[in-house]
Amino acid sequence: MPRNPLRDGRDKRLPRIAGPCSLVIFGVTGDLARRKLMPAVYDLANRGLLPPGFALVGFARRDWDHEDFGRIVHDAVRANSRTEFREDVWERLSEGFRFVQGTFDDDAAFDQLKSTLDDLDTQRGTNGNHAFYLSIPPSAFPVVCEQLQRSGLDQRSDSRWRRVVIEKPFGHDLESAIELNRIVNQVFPEDSVFRIDHYLGKETVQNILALRFANQLFDPIWNSHYVDHVQITMAEDIGLGGRAGYYDGIGAARDVIQNHLMQLLALIAMEEPVSFQPRELQAEKIKVLSAVRNILPHSENTARGQYGPGWQGSEEVVGLLEEEGFSKDSTTETYAAIAVEVDSRRWAGVPFYLRTGKRLGRRVTEIALVFKRAPHLPFDQTMTDELGQNALVIRIQPDEGVTLRFGSKVPGSGMEVRDVNMDFSYGQAFTESSPEAYERLILDVLLGEPSLFPVNDEVELSWKILDPVLDEWAKSGRPDEYPAGGWGPASADEMMNRTGRSWRRP
Ligand code: BG6
């Protein structure tokens, strides 16, 4: 059967350039804006993906003027952009920079924002299209949404769009997530809400879809007949110094499992979507998340820990309780592991282990499908002593790529079988470097392309999975301590060992 070459009349290999618009960043003085958002805007401009009619508007309390704001963006771009700095690109881009000073409860500041955006429509030709990026704590979402509504900035029409971009955490639990979604949806309908989960903007995460659905090789073994279990790991070596304000009371499960790891789980476990239209993709992810079930009892199938002092490489580091800003009796977990199953024909009985932690041995995010052992080995046992289980490992970062582990004969006159790796590495296979996740996601917001943004239902279903675990933990005292630089608490190893399995040491 010939395939339809262009389903929607567009060659998807070609990049799309955003149409005229302005991007307003609330929380422009924050860390995320400086490290990721402003550099990503510059990188997009440098790649020619922003239109001449583009404006970047900062909104914050600081007593800055437009020039001060320009300097701040300049410093952020010089320090953190991915692509080379080009004076001509910068000149053109910075002509569209504006700053509005004010607090979120200040009506006059929002009126000022409105008139600034109206002026930009005429001066820069931004055409009344505005994206509002809320890089601010969720507790401030209601007041900002209300102000955008009061000042008429939420008013869209057929010829001009208004979109809101929100950053996690999307709530603290299911109940608060429902409430947050209600508040945001009162002002912005669901198709104008873009929830950022930056993992979905990563090339290697999008490659999961290519690996699974562009190849014939993997699908036949992508199920409970062949897969013993799946390990999804997001390990970080950094500590939490400087992040107490956000992290204390939140913890690893809410920070990472509820969003990034659940999304990875959904992409690994979902069925093939009818097409890559956003609705079809979301429908498949929602089906998986609806079928996820915690393996019980929680006490044996989850683990949580908090890092104590230790060594990170050659550096001696303090434990969480000594980090600036954390309360001395904080019970916030910095390590979390949970085991779930997906109740579907494809996955029945296959455990999915999700773990994340700070101050672990290495920074690595990977997904490993660990296969069952061959049902029969026609070798003496000594020949296969060194043979592990076959594994397909998707390396999300760093050293992005895919590894297939299988047994191979060790050269020599005897017969000994040992594990070897077959490796695909992005660095070697492609000359193109990968865009930063935020470049892709900001561009998609401006294009109105929602595929890579979780919808309401996905967020709520993820909380539904996590809430019972969090409730159980809240009742069970302090997390176990683990030494910085290690691989988490002993309870995490015990959780795996009980089933005769063990965590990978990436
Ligand atoms: C964020 C978490 O979402 O992801 C952080 O809030 C974490 O705690 C970060 O450090 C990791 O992102 P990346 O892209 O470096 O893996």
Side-chain angles (χ1 to χ4, degrees):
M1 275 280 281
R3 288 181 305 139
N4 177 359
L6 298 174
R7 277 176 200 259
D8 63 0
R10 192 173 73 75
D11 184 340
K12 296 258 173 37
R13 287 170 302 184
L14 304 174
R16 282 171 76 190
I17 300 172
C21 61
S22 52
L23 172 66
V24 181
I25 302 182
F26 293 94
V28 78
T29 53
D31 196 46
L32 182 73
R34 194 172 44 78
R35 281 191 311 112
K36 299 286 184 188
L37 307 184
M38 300 194 276
V41 167
Y42 170 80
D43 286 324
L44 288 172
N46 205 4
R47 292 165 62 202
L49 299 175
L50 295 183
F54 175 79
L56 176 69
V57 180
F59 184 107
R61 222 173 355 194
R62 300 280 164 90
D63 189 14
W64 288 345
D65 58 19
H66 301 314
E67 281 73 40
D68 295 327
F69 177 56
R71 270 192 297 278
I72 297 295
V73 184
H74 182 268
D75 292 350
V77 167
R78 290 308 289 246
N80 298 311
S81 66
R82 181 179 63 90
T83 61
E84 167 197 18
F85 190 81
R86 286 176 30 208
E87 213 48 68
D88 55 327
V89 172
W90 172 256
E91 283 301 316
R92 255 177 287 131
L93 182 68
S94 58
E95 281 165 18
F97 289 175
R98 302 288 185 277
F99 182 74
V100 177
Q101 195 233 339
T103 52
F104 299 149
D105 56 1
D106 180 355
D107 291 1
F110 278 81
D111 294 340
Q112 176 64 40
L113 176 63
K114 173 144 187 354
S115 69
T116 302
L117 291 173
D118 289 345
D119 289 348
L120 282 166
D121 285 344
T122 31
Q123 292 163 9
R124 288 280 285 181
T126 45
N127 280 7
N129 299 320
H130 310 318
F132 302 103
Y133 199 123
L134 311 194
S135 179
I136 53 178
S139 55
F141 291 179
V143 58
V144 171
C145 286
E146 219 171 84
Q147 286 284 15
L148 291 172
Q149 190 172 43
R150 190 200 53 78
S151 54
L153 280 168
D154 64 323
Q155 292 301 312
R156 59 182 188 161
S157 68
D158 288 347
S159 59
R160 56 174 205 210
W161 52 258
R162 302 290 154 97
R163 297 178 188 138
V164 68
V165 186
I166 55 182
E167 274 284 344
K168 70 177 188 64
F170 311 120
H172 197 71
D173 54 16
L174 176 61
E175 197 184 329
S176 55
I178 292 174
E179 178 59 11
L180 197 64
N181 280 328
R182 191 188 63 76
I183 289 168
V184 173
N185 285 150
Q186 260 175 4
V187 179
F188 292 95
E190 189 60 12
D191 65 0
S192 303
V193 181
F194 290 72
R195 294 177 186 79
I196 297 263
D197 183 315
H198 79 279
Y199 262 63
L200 296 180
K202 291 182 189 276
E203 281 291 328
T204 40
V205 173
Q206 291 157 41
N207 190 41
I208 296 172
L209 297 178
L211 183 86
R212 292 197 54 199
F213 303 124
N215 296 301
Q216 173 70 339
L217 192 56
F218 304 111
D219 190 59
I221 52 169
W222 208 270
N223 54 50
S224 63
H225 297 299
Y226 295 93
V227 176
D228 175 71
H229 71 279
V230 179
Q231 295 189 22
I232 303 181
T233 300
M234 177 181 161
E236 293 182 282
D237 52 6
I238 50 170
L240 286 156
R243 286 192 76 200
Y246 162 73
Y247 203 92
D248 205 8
I250 295 267
R254 289 188 174 93
D255 182 40
V256 164
I257 295 187
Q258 188 273 339
N259 37 77
H260 307 324
L261 299 197
M262 291 287 178
Q263 286 292 323
L264 295 181
L265 165 68
L267 292 172
I268 289 294
M270 73 182 202
E271 297 302 315
E272 181 183 289
V274 173
S275 75
F276 286 119
Q277 291 300 320
R279 218 178 278 243
E280 312 288 359
L281 204 59
Q282 282 148 8
E284 295 305 332
K285 286 200 283 170
I286 287 171
K287 262 199 312 204
V288 173
L289 293 171
S290 315
V292 171
R293 175 174 58 75
N294 289 305
I295 303 180
L296 296 174
H298 292 304
S299 57
E300 289 181 11
N301 292 287
T302 69
R304 67 180 176 140
Q306 189 181 73
Y307 66 83
W311 287 85
Q312 199 83 54
S314 57
E315 189 196 352
E316 190 167 12
V317 295
V318 297
L320 183 84
L321 301 181
E322 273 71 55
E323 297 277 20
E324 192 197 327
F326 282 88
S327 72
K328 292 292 166 230
D329 53 1
S330 171
T331 56
T332 301
E333 86 279 356
T334 59
Y335 177 101
I338 68 170
V340 299
E341 278 186 357
V342 179
D343 279 338
S344 67
R345 173 172 278 244
R346 184 186 285 273
W347 293 116
V350 178
F352 285 71
Y353 298 103
L354 278 51
R355 68 171 161 165
T356 183
K358 304 280 184 193
R359 283 273 185 245
L360 297 183
R362 254 192 83 190
R363 171 176 181 255
V364 59
T365 301
E366 61 161 46
I367 302 161
L369 278 79
V370 181
F371 291 92
K372 293 183 172 166
R373 291 182 189 278
H376 172 69
L377 289 174
F379 305 92
D380 288 348
Q381 202 203 323
T382 51
M383 296 175 182
T384 54
D385 270 351
E386 303 268 318
L387 177 65
Q389 284 169 269
N390 297 163
L392 180 74
V393 183
I394 301 171
R395 300 194 305 275
I396 304 293
Q397 66 189 26
D399 185 23
E400 293 78 359
V402 180
T403 301
L404 187 61
R405 185 180 71 188
F406 54 90
S408 179
K409 179 181 177 307
V410 180
S413 51
M415 174 55 100
E416 184 191 348
V417 183
R418 201 185 288 166
D419 287 333
V420 293
N421 288 327
M422 200 154 88
D423 196 45
F424 146 63
S425 135
Y426 273 76
Q428 283 174 2
F430 299 112
T431 49
E432 300 88 341
S433 73
S434 297
E436 276 280 322
Y438 277 96
E439 286 173 60
R440 172 67 194 259
L441 295 176
I442 290 175
L443 181 63
D444 280 4
V445 168
L446 305 183
L447 289 167
E449 164 52 59
S451 304
L452 299 179
F453 300 85
V455 290
N456 228 336
D457 289 349
E458 291 168 74
V459 172
E460 292 177 10
L461 284 166
S462 300
W463 280 120
K464 229 180 197 167
I465 300 162
L466 209 55
D467 270 3
V469 177
L470 295 169
D471 288 347
E472 185 85 16
W473 286 353
K475 285 186 265 162
S476 57
R478 294 194 54 73
D480 305 325
E481 188 177 305
Y482 61 95
W487 279 99
S491 53
D493 290 325
E494 286 154 19
M495 156 185 169
M496 287 298 256
N497 296 345
R498 249 179 237 121
T499 68
R501 302 184 174 98
S502 55
W503 291 111
R504 286 170 46 78
R505 287 278 182 267

